[in-house]
Amino acid sequence: MKKSVIFMLAAFTAVVFCGCASFTKVETDKMNDQKLAYTGKTIAHVEADNWGIYLFHIPLLTGSVDNLGDIQVLKDTVTVEGVAKVMTREAKALGGTKVINTVTTMTTNPFFFGIKEVKMSANVIK
């Protein structure tokens, strides 16, 4: 019992101090001269991710889609729309004009208490 309580406190602390939304990129210098599209200049392969802790589908702590690394309290930001906002904003900041081959996954298990997550990956082309 004591180990379970310590584990839950450690997990909660990690969530509070780490943030839940992220953006990762793999730029062309790490792609072995491979193109990601038939036309245009390859900029990067990218992934946007957001997750949160829910109680009965009510968001408790979720990642901010406006400020990556920040936490939102009682706001449902773990949506495809929210992650697409992060994806397109960051792709534009990289100099891309197109986001292609987008793949989105959503996992959810907050029947009582759980984690909901949305991941999106794509190729950024100019």
Side-chain angles (χ1 to χ4, degrees), residues 6-126:
I6 291 172
F7 176 76
M8 291 300 287
L9 286 174
F12 181 77
T13 303
V15 167
V16 169
F17 291 109
C18 293
C20 303
S22 65
F23 180 80
T24 308
K25 64 183 174 186
V26 178
E27 295 191 39
T28 56
D29 61 340
K30 296 191 174 51
M31 290 188 204
N32 298 310
D33 296 323
Q34 298 295 307
K35 291 186 174 192
L36 299 178
Y38 292 115
T39 61
K41 178 184 176 191
T42 298
I43 303 293
H45 177 76
V46 295
E47 180 191 56
D49 181 28
N50 195 9
W51 62 277
I53 298 174
Y54 287 71
L55 177 66
F56 293 116
H57 296 279
I58 299 167
L60 301 177
L61 298 172
T62 59
S64 171
V65 294
D66 296 320
N67 298 312
L68 297 180
D70 287 352
I71 300 289
Q72 297 288 307
V73 178
L74 302 176
K75 291 186 180 178
D76 191 12
T77 61
V78 184
T79 62
V80 174
E81 294 85 4
V83 175
K85 179 181 179 179
V86 172
M87 173 71 70
T88 54
R89 181 184 67 229
E90 298 295 327
K92 187 175 183 179
L94 289 172
T97 57
K98 295 180 182 94
V99 176
I100 63 170
N101 302 331
T102 305
V103 177
T104 306
T105 59
M106 178 186 282
T107 56
T108 184
N109 65 353
F111 175 69
F112 173 67
F113 181 78
I115 294 174
K116 179 179 172 185
E117 180 178 29
V118 175
K119 288 186 177 190
M120 183 179 289
S121 66
N123 300 325
V124 179
I125 308 297
K126 182 175 185 179

